[in-house]
Amino acid sequence: MTSRAVIRESFDPKIVKGSDVFLDREFPMSGSNYKLISGLAYKESGIVLNDTKQEMVYSRLARRIRDLKLKDFDEYLHYVKRDIDNEFRSFLNAITTNLTSFFREDHHFVHLKEVTIPLLRKIHLNDKRVRVWCTAASTGEEPYSIAMVMREAFAENSGWDIKILATDIDSNVLETARAGRYKLERIEGIPQARKKRWFKKISDDSVEVSDSLKDLISFKQLNLLKPWPMKGVFDIVFCRNVIIYFDKETQRTLFDKVHLKMAEDAHLYIGHSESLHNVSKKFSPLGKTIYKRK
Ligand SMILES: C[S@@+](CC[C@H](N)C(=O)[O-])C[C@H]1O[C@@H](n2cnc3c(N)ncnc32)[C@H](O)[C@@H]1O
């Protein structure tokens, strides 16, 4: 059965029963509606929406229902079913959480500069080629932070071939990331010298990242749960603050695949509240939420 057929089947109201949750709201959402939504999210993105997420899901999808001028969640779910190829992307964009910032969890960037880059200089002394994958890039702050550190270590005219692949399931955040334009307050914490070097002012309250950083990065839509089209392996993988939304089984499958996509001795960075304990034995710890591929 194709994945689209699976989605259609999961809409069968006979299969799904649940208590009523938000029937008194602007757009009534029943327990059955919520079960269909969370089932669909899990099947297609791995994101687990348990009952504590009901309020969040309600407010995000209510916005979509308002835009589409529909009556309630029943109507919305029928709409998704009817037009799955078009609406599914908006559905996924609505349920993802995209919180991020420049140099979030700063110790990773210190490690990148002081440990990983010096090691890669030795490993790639001859081919001078480094590949980085940022697996959940969101609105771009993370891959641009990586790009700053990489460019500061390997200048444009250094002869090093550096490329960063930045992927995310959410097509909206990738548009923001590609544009590379941010409100001034987003870069407040960045030291002055870095701000001056890597950002240009485009209005009273906004900046844009320099072309030299943009040129390092390819932004592509990619669902971590679906097949990956990339051919080569990566020397550095950032997989931060995304597996918290997945269950252990999904995490295990994911890191088996990530392992295969990493070069020998490549380094992996995960989020501050994430761990590979009981998930994978294919990585050895190098420090707080930093691992080396075994
Ligand atoms: C909280 S943000 C983390 C952003 C960044 N990595 C950081 O640590 O600041 C989580 C990102 O994971 C993405 N995401 C969620 N499920 C995904 C999946 N199955 N495949 C790819 N990206 C996914 C979301 O769209 C979101 O942009």
Side-chain angles (χ1 to χ4, degrees):
M1 197 186 292
T2 65
S3 127
R4 291 285 176 251
V6 170
I7 293 167
R8 285 201 176 92
E9 188 172 272
S10 73
F11 276 100
D12 184 346
K14 291 192 293 297
I15 299 171
V16 184
K17 291 193 177 61
S19 60
D20 294 333
V21 280
F22 289 151
L23 291 182
D24 54 346
R25 299 289 184 95
E26 180 187 0
F27 304 108
M29 177 174 83
S30 68
S32 306
N33 294 151
Y34 188 71
K35 283 200 170 180
L36 284 170
I37 290 163
S38 54
L40 195 52
Y42 180 69
K43 214 176 286 166
E44 284 296 302
S45 70
I47 295 172
V48 176
L49 297 173
N50 59 27
D51 287 353
T52 65
K53 300 279 165 58
Q54 283 171 352
E55 186 69 55
M56 181 199 85
V57 169
Y58 176 84
S59 66
R60 290 182 183 179
L61 288 178
R63 226 174 291 149
R64 185 76 192 132
I65 292 172
R66 200 171 296 120
D67 288 349
L68 292 168
K69 301 193 179 359
L70 300 175
K71 185 167 83 300
D72 56 20
F73 276 74
D74 270 342
E75 263 194 29
Y76 178 65
L77 285 165
H78 279 108
Y79 182 86
V80 177
K81 183 182 173 186
R82 253 195 336 267
D83 193 16
I84 197 133
D85 291 329
N86 291 317
E87 183 54 23
F88 199 59
R89 181 172 277 212
S90 302
F91 171 83
L92 280 182
N93 291 352
I95 55 136
T96 56
T97 296
N98 309 114
L99 184 78
T100 187
S101 58
F102 284 102
F103 296 99
R104 181 182 193 184
E105 294 161 45
D106 188 46
H107 72 281
H108 284 159
F109 298 94
V110 174
H111 185 274
L112 177 63
K113 179 182 171 197
E114 294 180 356
V115 181
T116 305
I117 289 176
L119 180 74
L120 291 173
R121 276 191 194 285
K122 287 186 200 146
I123 295 177
H124 290 289
L125 186 65
N126 293 324
D127 67 352
K128 291 194 157 64
R129 185 180 186 275
V130 176
R131 294 291 178 262
V132 186
W133 181 20
C134 178
T135 64
S138 189
T139 39
E141 289 86 337
E142 182 175 57
Y144 287 124
S145 303
I146 301 168
M148 282 182 241
V149 177
M150 296 305 282
R151 261 288 167 259
E152 287 163 11
F154 303 101
E156 258 171 309
N157 56 4
S158 63
W160 280 77
D161 169 19
I162 312 288
K163 285 200 171 67
I164 301 168
L165 173 67
T167 60
D168 202 285
I169 196 173
D170 183 331
S171 56
N172 283 343
V173 291
L174 288 171
E175 265 177 50
T176 306
R178 268 187 210 106
R181 296 191 195 104
Y182 300 95
K183 292 282 177 215
L184 270 177
E185 63 255 26
R186 301 288 296 162
I187 63 162
E188 252 166 25
I190 300 179
Q192 201 54 36
R194 255 193 184 145
K195 276 193 218 167
K196 232 176 128 186
R197 182 163 175 195
W198 300 120
F199 295 88
K200 54 185 184 246
K201 209 152 180 220
I202 52 166
S203 71
D204 281 351
D205 65 348
S206 319
V207 290
E208 183 170 340
V209 298
S210 73
D211 290 343
S212 153
L213 294 187
K214 284 189 184 174
D215 291 347
L216 280 186
I217 309 175
S218 300
F219 289 101
K220 301 264 184 247
Q221 197 200 10
L222 183 121
N223 183 345
L224 290 170
L225 258 64
K226 302 282 160 163
W228 302 341
M230 304 87 81
K231 297 238 157 40
V233 290
F234 296 90
D235 303 292
I236 302 168
V237 174
F238 274 69
C239 186
R240 305 193 313 164
N241 304 303
V242 58
I243 62 164
I244 30 165
Y245 303 105
F246 301 159
D247 61 15
K248 286 276 177 212
E249 202 188 314
T250 306
Q251 294 181 13
R252 284 185 197 113
T253 313
L254 174 65
F255 283 105
D256 279 351
K257 281 175 75 187
V258 168
H259 182 262
L260 293 174
K261 276 281 143 209
M262 289 175 70
E264 213 178 309
D265 291 336
H267 288 180
L268 167 71
Y269 298 88
I270 65 173
H272 63 292
S273 61
E274 298 165 339
S275 159
L276 294 189
H277 183 66
N278 283 335
V279 171
S280 177
K281 293 200 163 91
K282 295 177 174 173
F283 301 87
S284 25
L286 284 182
K288 200 174 145 224
T289 55
I290 307 171
Y291 297 83
K292 186 175 90 163
R293 181 199 194 272
K294 276 191 197 162

